[in-house]
Amino acid sequence: MSITPANSSGYDTPVSDLESIVPVHPTAARRPNYITVQSENTVYTNDHITAKYSYRGADVVVSDGQFTVTPTVKPFEFQTERKVGKTGLMMIGMGGNNGTTLCATILANKHNISWHTKEGIQQPNYIGSVLRASTVRIGTEPVTGKEVHLPLSDVLPMVHPNDLVLGGWDISGVPMDKAMERACVLDYDLQRQVMPHMALLGRPLPSIYYPDFIAANQEARADNVIPGTDKQVHLEHIRSDIRRFKAENSLDRVVVFWTANTERYSDIVPGVNDTADHLLAAIRSSHSEVSPSTLFAVAAILEGEPFVNGAPQNTFVPGVIELAERYKSFIGGDDLKSGQTKLKSVLAEFLVNAGIKPLSIASYNHLGNNDGHNLSAERQFKSKEISKSSVVDDMVDANRLLYKPPAPGATGKAAKGEHPDHIVVIKYVPAVGDSKRAIDEYYSEIFCGGRQTINIFNECEDSLLATPLILDLTILTELLTRIKYRDLSVGQVKFAPLYPVLSLLSYMCKAPLVKPGTDVVNSLGRQRNALDAFLKACIGLEANGDLLLETRIW
C-alpha cells in the first residue's frame, strides 16, 4: 500500500492539536513560480524549457615542459520537460534505519506534524537536503548591486519530496510502523503521531537474500525473502514488482534505490559479469557472483527505470554499465556521502590548495545501528573501506608540486604516485545506536620541514544525515530523466537523453560512478559547482563566476 499526495492528512493523529499550527518550514514550502530567464538563448513553451549554452574549455598540449593552451567553445542546446510526472520511490531496505526514517519524515512534512522534544516544539523540515535547503547565486540586483540567491530546487521544475509515492522491499517483514520503532532514530513523540500513517504503508515486499553477500549476523532478520535460488526467477519477480507498483499508483516514473545492507565486493570474472550479455547469461545460470544489488539494478534497467546505489559495494559491474548503455536507462551511485567523507573531501582539498602537504589521514568510526552491525563483518567492511579510501585521490593528483607523480608503467598502488597514508577503521558499538562517532587526524608537512596536526571529532545521527541525501538523489535523478541535449557543433538535429551514468549525482556519493574512461572528481566544491553550473545551463545562464569584475575596476 502507498500514501499519495493530499492537501490534508485525513487522519487523526494521537496529538492532532499540533498538526498544521506551526507554519510550513521554508525547506518544505511549495513555490510554484519558478525563475524566468529573459534571453534570446532561452525559450519557454508549455511543455519545455529550451536553452542554448556555450560550453567553454581549453585544449592543453605539453611539449618539453611547455604548455600550449587553446581556448575552446562548443555550442549545446538543452531541453527540459516542464511537467513533473508522478514519481514513485522504491527502496531496497525500506524497513531499515534509512528507509523508515525517510518514510516517516516525508509523512511528517506532508501532514505538517509537529512534535514535542525536551527543547520545545519541533516542526518537520528538509534541512540537510542540498536541493531543498541550499541556494544558488543567479546574479545581482541592478539597483543595489546585491547578489541574488535562489533555492536550488527552484532553478528547474522538480518533484516535491512530499509527493513521492513510497514503496519497496526488505528481507525483514516487520510492518513499517514497527520497523520505525525498531530503528530508534526519531523522537518518540514524532513516532507516536506518524505511526498511523506509517501503518498504512504495510509491510515491505519480499526481497532477495543471498547469505554470501551480507554479514551472517543479518540472517535473523531475513524472514521476508523471495523463495528459491533461481536468479532469473528472482529477476523477473523484481521486474513484476516494479511494473505492478507503477501501474497501481499510476506513476510516470519509478526510482529504484538501494539503501539496504552493504554487500561484499563481487569478483569481476571474465565471461560472467564483464559484459551485458555475459551478465544476463550469468543470471540465467544463477552464477554465485551475481549479487542481489546487481539483480535489482538489472531489473530496473530492463524496466526502463533509474537505479541508484546508496551503498559502497560494486553493484555496477562492467556488464551493468554496458546494459544501461544499451537500454539508455539511468544509473548512479555509489555510497551516500553524509559525514566524515564529505568533510574529508573539503578539508583535504583546502590543505592541498593551500600548499600544505597532508602526509597521513587516519579515520576512525564507531556506531551501533544495523549498518554498523553488518559492517562488523570483514568482507562487508572491505567494501566500505574501498569507497572511503579513494576520496582524496584527485586532489593529490592535481598537485604534483607536493606529491611525486607515478613512475612510467607503474601498477597497483604505485600507479597513484606519492600519496598520503590513509587508513579507515569502523567498529560496531551497540550502545551508541544511530549516533555515529567519527574521529579524524590530518598530519601534514608545512614550511621548511614543519609539521601540523588537525584533529576532528564529529558526532552525528547517521540516518538523519543520510535520509536527505536519498531524497536529493531521487529528485535529481527524476529531473535528469527529463533533460535532453543536442550538440550543435556537430550538427545534431534530434535531442538525445543524457549519458546513462549520472555523474552529476557525485556531490551526494562517496565513490562517484562516472562514465568509463573519465576521471573521478571527489572534490566537494567542484562537484557542487558542476551541479549548479549544469542546472543553470539548462535555463541559459552562465556558471557562477567569482571574478566579481565590477568590484575590481573603476
Side-chain angles (χ1 to χ4, degrees):
M1 182 175 285
S2 60
I3 301 237
T4 51
N7 293 324
S8 61
S9 71
Y11 301 95
D12 290 329
T13 59
V15 185
S16 58
D17 57 317
L18 288 178
E19 190 166 336
S20 299
I21 290 178
V22 179
V24 173
H25 193 274
T27 59
R30 295 180 185 271
R31 293 174 294 271
N33 298 318
Y34 299 108
I35 179 176
T36 299
V37 177
Q38 295 181 338
S39 167
E40 61 182 11
N41 293 327
T42 308
V43 177
Y44 293 85
T45 67
N46 290 334
D47 297 327
H48 298 103
I49 302 171
T50 305
K52 290 184 172 66
Y53 179 74
S54 296
Y55 179 55
R56 302 180 187 278
D59 291 337
V60 182
V61 177
V62 183
S63 178
D64 296 326
Q66 178 68 39
F67 294 80
T68 303
V69 183
T70 305
T72 61
V73 180
K74 288 187 70 174
F76 284 86
E77 198 166 28
F78 294 101
Q79 185 184 76
T80 305
E81 185 179 344
R82 300 185 75 175
K83 181 179 182 292
V84 179
K86 189 176 181 183
T87 303
L89 170 59
M90 295 192 79
M91 292 174 284
I92 306 101
M94 184 185 184
N97 284 27
N98 289 345
T100 55
T101 302
L102 181 139
C103 292
T105 50
I106 284 179
L107 291 168
N109 274 285
K110 181 176 173 180
H111 302 301
N112 202 21
I113 298 174
S114 299
W115 63 97
H116 289 284
T117 72
K118 61 185 180 182
E119 284 86 18
I121 293 178
Q122 174 65 49
Q123 70 179 127
N125 59 60
Y126 287 114
I127 290 176
S129 162
V130 177
L131 297 178
R132 299 296 311 180
S134 76
T135 62
V136 59
R137 177 160 52 88
I138 57 171
T140 56
E141 208 282 322
V143 176
T144 64
K146 296 292 186 182
E147 293 182 346
V148 178
H149 294 80
L150 185 79
L152 197 58
S153 58
D154 289 359
V155 176
L156 288 168
M158 300 186 196
V159 177
H160 193 289
N162 292 4
D163 294 340
L164 290 170
V165 181
L166 305 171
W169 306 264
D170 202 288
I171 61 172
S172 169
V174 174
M176 288 298 289
D177 53 338
K178 298 300 181 182
M180 171 186 66
E181 192 174 36
R182 176 183 62 187
C184 300
V185 174
L186 300 171
D187 288 332
Y188 168 72
D189 194 41
L190 172 57
Q191 290 189 43
R192 185 167 65 92
Q193 294 185 74
V194 82
M195 196 161 290
H197 304 289
M198 289 289 285
L200 292 175
L201 292 174
R203 299 174 185 269
L205 296 169
S207 192
I208 299 172
Y209 176 59
Y210 303 151
D212 182 49
F213 279 92
I214 61 174
N217 58 40
Q218 299 300 302
E219 184 178 2
R221 294 171 70 106
D223 59 5
N224 187 45
V225 301
I226 303 171
T229 58
D230 190 321
K231 294 187 177 182
Q232 182 66 38
V233 171
H234 291 173
L235 174 65
E236 296 304 328
H237 187 113
I238 297 303
R239 292 184 66 181
S240 176
D241 285 344
I242 296 170
R243 287 194 298 269
R244 185 171 60 253
F245 182 76
K246 189 173 183 179
E248 288 178 352
N249 293 286
S250 303
L251 301 174
D252 300 295
R253 173 66 65 200
V254 176
V255 177
V256 182
F257 201 111
W258 182 276
T259 184
N261 278 321
T262 295
E263 298 172 333
R264 69 164 174 84
Y265 252 50
S266 296
D267 293 333
I268 306 301
V269 183
V272 173
N273 49 20
D274 56 338
T275 71
D277 290 333
H278 288 161
L279 177 60
L280 293 174
I283 293 171
R284 288 192 294 271
S285 66
S286 298
H287 194 281
S288 61
E289 282 306 308
V290 178
S291 69
S293 64
T294 292
L295 266 185
F296 274 100
V298 170
I301 289 168
L302 295 178
E303 289 302 314
E305 303 296 349
F307 180 90
V308 181
N309 177 32
Q313 70 273 347
N314 60 338
T315 297
F316 300 119
V317 294
V320 172
I321 296 176
E322 184 181 312
L323 193 69
E325 291 175 333
R326 179 181 297 176
Y327 283 87
K328 293 182 170 57
S329 194
F330 296 105
I331 56 176
D334 292 309
D335 203 4
L336 301 178
K337 181 168 60 182
S338 59
Q340 185 180 59
T341 306
K342 181 174 284 187
L343 181 61
K344 190 178 296 182
S345 67
V346 174
L347 190 55
E349 182 182 35
F350 153 69
L351 291 170
V352 173
N353 284 350
I356 294 171
K357 182 181 181 180
L359 299 173
S360 68
I361 303 173
S363 298
Y364 167 86
N365 306 256
H366 70 258
L367 70 165
N369 59 19
N370 193 56
D371 182 39
H373 196 200
N374 182 65
L375 290 174
S376 65
E378 179 62 28
R379 291 194 301 172
Q380 284 67 38
F381 165 71
K382 195 67 180 176
S383 294
K384 178 67 76 172
E385 182 183 37
I386 291 170
S387 78
K388 278 177 165 280
S389 296
S390 61
V391 68
V392 300
D393 288 358
D394 58 319
M395 293 158 247
V396 169
D397 192 50
N399 193 332
R400 291 305 176 187
L401 296 170
L402 295 179
Y403 298 95
K404 296 176 184 176
T411 59
K413 287 186 177 180
K416 290 185 177 182
E418 187 183 6
H419 198 275
D421 295 334
H422 189 187
I423 62 166
V424 177
V425 177
I426 301 176
K427 295 297 182 182
Y428 177 54
V429 182
V432 302
D434 201 60
S435 183
K436 181 168 70 174
R437 275 72 164 168
I439 304 168
D440 291 272
E441 179 189 89
Y442 296 79
Y443 180 61
S444 303
E445 179 181 349
I446 57 175
F447 189 55
C448 290
R451 294 294 185 266
Q452 177 192 46
T453 301
I454 299 175
N455 289 303
I456 298 173
F457 181 85
N458 174 24
E459 180 179 346
C460 61
E461 293 170 286
D462 200 33
S463 299
L464 295 179
L465 282 179
T467 294
L469 300 185
I470 298 175
L471 290 175
D472 286 336
L473 288 163
T474 300
I475 293 166
L476 187 56
T477 296
E478 188 283 330
L479 169 64
L480 295 175
T481 67
R482 291 185 282 114
I483 296 176
K484 295 183 177 182
Y485 78 97
R486 58 183 179 185
D487 184 349
L488 301 180
S489 68
V490 296
Q492 183 178 337
V493 176
K494 292 185 177 180
F495 284 96
L498 301 174
Y499 180 73
V501 174
L502 299 177
S503 56
L504 280 166
L505 306 182
S506 295
Y507 184 85
M508 283 75 76
C509 298
K510 282 191 183 76
L513 185 70
V514 299
K515 186 177 182 179
T518 61
D519 292 333
V520 176
V521 174
N522 284 296
S523 160
L524 196 72
R526 291 184 64 194
Q527 291 170 342
R528 175 59 194 262
N529 288 343
L531 177 58
D532 290 356
F534 181 81
L535 296 180
K536 292 173 73 174
C538 289
I539 55 174
L541 295 181
E542 294 292 328
N544 281 349
D546 291 320
L547 176 57
L548 300 178
L549 186 59
E550 64 275 12
T551 69
R552 322 293 185 191
I553 59 177
W554 288 98

